[in-house]
Amino acid sequence: MRAVCVAAVLLCPLVAHGDEAQARRLRDIGAMARFVPDEASRRLRAMEWEMATAPAALRTDFLYHYSTAERGIGDLTHALTLADQLVTYGRRNHDNVALAKGLIGRANTLYLREELAASHATAFEAERVALTTDDIPTKVLATIAAGQSFQEEGNYPEALAKLHAAIDMARHVKDDAAPLASALHTLVQLYLNTGDFDKGWEAQREALAVARQMASPGYIATALGDEFALAVEQKAFARARHALFEELALERSIGARQMVATTLVNLSDCYLKEGRFREAQTYAAQALEAALDARSNNDVATARVNLGQALLGQGHLAEGKRQVEAGLATYEKQGDKPELLAVLREYGYALELAGDYKGAVDAYNRERKLSSEIFDEQRQKALMELQQKYEAENKQRRIDALRQENRATKAELDNRRLHQRIWWMLAIVFGLASVVVGLLYRKVRRANAELEEKNQQLKRQGALDPLTLLYNRRHFQEFMGRTGTERRAGGDGTVGALFLLDVDRFKDINDTLGHAAGDAVLKTVAHNLRLALRETDMIVRWGGEEFLVFVPAVARDGLDEVALRILHGISSHAAEHRGTRVPVSVSVGFAPFPVALGGTALTWEQVVNLADMALYQAKARGRNCACGVLGFPDGAPATLEPIERDLEEAWRQGWVDLSVVPGDVEYSTAVRSRA
């Protein structure tokens, strides 16, 4: 979202001082920087020498527009250098308009460099500085940046308040509707994220009317892009395509090569969502050519992925997989793991529809591995942040202790002087000092108690998933790290077990009804799992639409019954979203824990991986069923490697004892079938 509006150019009226010809030329190029950044960059580069001696107001706008254009063509290092020059100039000359613009340029560039914490802090500082000025367009721009930062932090109420404030200010800008158009566009993006489509349409209609009144092809194209995004979320594909075709014509008319590539990618994606693979192939090929011409690596990667999916949809497996893998390679090279994860999920789904089940399982396994890597990185980052917080608190405690020590030393010196002067005052001074120390001691004890209570609250909150209020993955890993290696099978024929669940066709629910419906489904699944399982069973939000259940004690021959209870507990209760019932089912993979292979007990991580492989076997059998690895008969390999390579083949070889529990049978019959 922010990539579209991060470079919004709110043209500030240039002062009448200096060369009017320079001012007009700079104003025209500044209007171009957002939509045709390559041409704007070339022209601004040619003006660099003459701008070195230009009046202060012209120099400020030159640096701001130049940073915007460089950011648009992807030269983030140069864009950041130009923004920092403007920040330095503003601080040195006490020019808050220049300082605010420099901070906005810096915040937007840091965002594209994925330095989100620094970007948000800079945006909030830019807003504080801008609000001290009388320059309304700069105030609007800074308030938009602050609203975007709150949105990226997930603080939607504060983001909404900021964007409405920006719109109110923009309505008072005379002779320039660009600030209002930019603020309305950002508001549409917020409503898209929150799923409030009615208000999104209202803001989009006003943005389009403002853009048409401006007669600006770039702003009209931006508003049409918002229309596409809203329409495709609500499955109004005909309207979405109509908006894209009109947008594409406008972008081509102004030579906006980057925007053309992105719009062609959106067209191919729209046809993919409709299942019209031939048209999707046509526009994906055009998008690839346009993206290569614009040197837009992200659009190149997405175009290749869309082209590959279109080919897969037409049964051209080899060429389709080649194109998708080429797109994936670009995401891997860029280190864009979240985007790579989403593409792998879509890739596996496309391969499954094309009948390439082995390829689909491979894609799902790659997705699973990458998901674990992302989680490990996030956990390491969280640990580092906690360590930094601990060190800061420890440092502050040492400072407080030194201050207290200094106060005590000063009190002792004062006491000595008083003793030398007036001996009978010693008792009074000693008594006062004792009272002060006692008060300080009680204050420190109270502060330590409050700190301990807050730490316990944070620890409890850190163990729960905020959406479902189930335990999160980190808590489960810590729990198994403390107790997992100590578990043994019970002498009474009981074992523990791990059940891995995946919500069936969750992507279709998100694509059809929106992410708010997806959240409602996840919360419903969590609620029904609590009803179906015992209080002693641990239920974990494993990630995305996946859940993990750890049953600490169950009869060895009762695993199928637990799986059936889970299947019926989920499928018998539909989710509710805006008055619509959303049917829900899950696929389940399970395995006992502990379990041994070749006389060696498997770790809990290996058992989870077995359950994961069994889960994909359940998906391959049509979903809404469970598949479990119950054990390893005599003659099984001594290691897991050949079994992990292909579970289906391992079963055929007689290396694993596999159980399949269909989800469409009556619970009371507890049907169990051997695979």
Side-chain angles (χ1 to χ4, degrees):
M1 178 273 293
R2 191 168 183 175
V4 176
C5 57
V6 70
V9 178
L10 304 182
L11 297 179
C12 301
L14 298 174
V15 296
H17 309 299
D19 189 339
E20 284 297 326
Q22 280 184 328
R24 284 194 301 272
R25 187 151 51 106
L26 187 57
R27 187 183 299 113
D28 293 340
I29 298 174
M32 183 188 299
R34 173 181 178 181
F35 306 112
V36 195
D38 48 352
E39 178 62 21
S41 175
R42 185 186 66 79
R43 296 189 185 186
L44 289 165
R45 196 179 308 116
M47 296 178 67
E48 201 159 3
W49 284 106
E50 61 181 293
M51 283 292 109
T53 58
L58 289 179
R59 178 69 178 168
T60 293
D61 285 336
F62 168 77
L63 289 172
Y64 178 73
H65 295 323
Y66 200 2
S67 177
T68 299
E70 294 297 277
R71 194 164 58 249
I73 64 175
D75 191 347
L76 301 183
T77 300
H78 193 203
L80 192 60
T81 299
L82 293 166
D84 286 343
Q85 288 180 20
L86 193 50
V87 169
T88 301
Y89 169 81
R91 293 192 195 281
R92 186 173 58 242
N93 295 280
H94 306 289
D95 184 341
N96 280 355
V97 172
L99 176 58
K101 286 185 176 181
L103 289 169
I104 293 165
R106 178 174 176 78
N108 291 338
T109 307
L110 289 172
Y111 170 83
L112 293 181
R113 287 172 49 150
E114 298 185 356
E115 299 177 30
L116 295 188
S119 172
H120 297 166
T122 306
F124 296 143
E125 183 184 358
E127 184 193 25
R128 287 193 296 270
V129 172
L131 292 179
T132 66
T133 74
D134 295 326
D135 192 302
I136 298 179
T138 301
K139 289 182 180 180
V140 172
L141 186 58
T143 306
I144 289 174
Q148 289 172 323
S149 296
F150 279 120
Q151 180 178 348
E152 289 149 15
E153 291 178 349
N155 188 346
Y156 293 138
E158 192 65 34
L160 187 63
K162 291 293 182 186
L163 295 181
H164 277 300
I167 290 172
D168 290 341
M169 287 188 287
R171 296 190 193 282
H172 293 88
V173 178
K174 297 180 180 179
D175 303 325
D176 186 5
L180 179 57
S182 294
L184 287 167
H185 163 67
T186 312
L187 183 61
V188 174
Q189 298 298 312
L190 175 60
Y191 284 137
L192 273 167
N193 276 1
T194 59
D196 196 343
F197 300 127
D198 291 340
K199 291 182 179 178
W201 280 115
E202 182 180 343
Q204 187 275 335
R205 283 192 293 271
E206 183 179 0
L208 183 59
V210 170
R212 292 194 189 282
Q213 187 176 8
M214 293 166 62
S216 167
Y219 278 104
I220 295 173
T222 300
L224 290 169
D226 290 340
E227 182 176 344
F228 154 75
L230 286 164
V232 84
E233 279 289 334
Q234 297 182 298
K235 301 299 180 184
F237 294 118
R239 182 171 184 177
R241 280 186 278 104
H242 182 273
L244 286 175
F245 281 123
E246 185 178 353
E247 178 186 359
L248 183 62
L250 289 167
E251 291 162 354
R252 283 173 170 164
S253 72
I254 60 175
R257 296 188 300 162
Q258 171 68 64
M259 296 175 71
V260 166
T262 302
T263 301
L264 288 169
V265 166
N266 288 338
L267 266 172
S268 67
D269 191 59
C270 187
Y271 280 117
L272 277 177
K273 291 182 185 299
E274 293 183 85
R276 298 171 60 176
F277 299 116
R278 188 176 299 278
E279 292 92 339
Q281 177 185 351
T282 299
Y283 286 102
Q286 292 182 23
L288 179 58
E289 182 180 355
L292 289 170
D293 177 62
R295 298 179 181 178
S296 173
N297 290 333
N298 281 338
D299 285 327
V300 168
T302 310
R304 288 193 186 279
V305 169
N306 284 0
L307 180 57
Q309 290 188 9
L311 291 167
L312 289 175
Q314 297 176 76
H316 305 307
L317 293 180
E319 178 61 18
K321 292 167 76 171
R322 188 182 72 81
Q323 291 291 347
V324 173
E325 292 292 346
L328 290 172
T330 299
Y331 290 126
E332 288 175 345
K333 184 177 180 181
Q334 293 176 331
D336 191 348
K337 290 187 178 180
E339 185 66 26
L340 184 60
L341 189 67
V343 172
L344 280 171
R345 186 176 295 116
E346 292 182 356
Y347 186 26
Y349 185 65
L351 288 171
E352 182 183 349
L353 291 179
D356 185 358
Y357 297 113
K358 186 178 185 306
V361 170
D362 289 342
Y364 289 136
N365 285 334
R366 289 166 67 184
E367 175 198 343
R368 185 79 50 223
K369 180 180 178 182
L370 182 61
S371 178
S372 296
E373 289 177 4
I374 292 174
F375 175 78
D376 289 341
E377 290 174 359
Q378 291 173 341
R379 180 176 61 178
Q380 185 63 29
K381 181 179 178 182
L383 287 174
M384 290 180 64
E385 290 175 351
L386 286 173
Q387 180 65 25
Q388 291 172 356
K389 182 179 180 181
Y390 169 77
E391 290 175 354
E393 291 177 350
N394 196 31
K395 181 179 179 181
Q396 185 60 45
R397 284 195 293 270
R398 290 198 300 270
I399 291 172
D400 292 341
L402 287 172
R403 287 175 178 170
Q404 185 174 343
E405 183 180 348
N406 289 336
R407 286 195 295 267
T409 302
K410 184 177 182 298
E412 183 180 355
L413 291 173
D414 290 342
N415 287 338
R416 288 178 181 176
R417 294 190 190 101
L418 288 172
H419 179 70
Q420 292 171 358
R421 296 174 185 176
I422 311 173
W423 66 268
W424 53 268
M425 292 290 292
L426 180 60
I428 299 175
V429 172
F430 180 80
L432 291 174
S434 299
V435 171
V436 170
V437 171
L439 291 174
L440 287 174
Y441 178 73
R442 283 192 293 175
K443 184 176 181 181
V444 168
R445 287 189 60 187
R446 187 167 57 252
N448 286 339
E450 291 174 354
L451 180 60
E452 178 63 23
E453 182 180 354
K454 290 181 180 178
N455 285 338
Q456 290 299 323
Q457 290 176 355
L458 288 173
K459 184 176 181 180
R460 288 193 296 270
Q461 292 172 0
L464 299 179
D465 170 63
L467 177 65
T468 62
L469 298 182
L470 299 175
Y471 288 118
N472 59 29
R473 187 169 184 165
R474 181 189 304 170
H475 174 78
F476 179 78
Q477 289 178 322
E478 292 173 352
F479 171 78
M480 296 303 286
R482 293 192 302 269
T483 65
T485 57
E486 302 171 359
R487 298 189 176 274
R488 298 289 184 271
D492 57 355
T494 63
V495 293
L498 290 166
F499 294 78
L500 192 61
L501 293 66
D502 186 275
V503 179
D504 293 334
R505 310 220 181 266
F506 185 76
K507 181 178 182 297
D508 290 347
I509 294 172
N510 274 340
D511 289 345
T512 304
L513 300 175
H515 292 284
D519 288 347
V521 167
L522 295 177
K523 289 190 284 188
T524 299
V525 170
H527 174 72
N528 291 334
L529 282 174
R530 291 191 188 96
L531 297 178
L533 297 168
R534 301 170 301 184
E535 290 185 1
T536 56
D537 300 332
M538 179 181 289
I539 310 173
V540 181
R541 171 86 182 278
W542 195 241
E545 65 270 25
E546 286 190 337
F547 298 83
L548 182 74
V549 174
F550 172 55
V551 178
V554 63
R556 185 175 291 276
D557 59 357
L559 299 183
D560 290 2
E561 184 180 353
V562 176
L564 190 59
R565 193 161 69 237
I566 291 172
L567 292 170
H568 278 268
I570 302 301
S571 62
S572 59
H573 298 88
E576 295 284 344
H577 175 65
R578 295 184 177 179
T580 301
R581 290 173 56 81
V582 183
V584 184
S585 66
V586 296
S587 299
V588 182
F590 61 92
F593 177 67
V595 65
L597 174 62
T600 303
L602 301 184
T603 66
W604 71 266
E605 292 93 343
Q606 291 173 314
V607 177
V608 169
N609 194 42
L610 280 177
D612 192 25
M613 291 187 293
L615 169 63
Y616 285 112
Q617 291 298 321
K619 284 180 171 291
R621 283 170 166 76
R623 296 184 171 86
N624 190 25
C625 67
C627 186
V629 176
L630 300 182
F632 306 98
D634 294 338
T639 66
L640 271 178
E641 182 178 354
I643 296 172
E644 289 179 326
R645 191 179 305 118
D646 192 332
L647 182 61
E648 185 83 15
E649 180 61 25
W651 164 72
R652 293 194 185 97
Q653 295 290 338
W655 296 342
V656 295
D657 184 7
L658 205 63
S659 173
V660 176
V661 181
D664 55 356
V665 300
E666 291 296 328
Y667 173 68
S668 60
T669 63
V671 172
R672 171 179 172 180
S673 63
R674 290 287 179 174

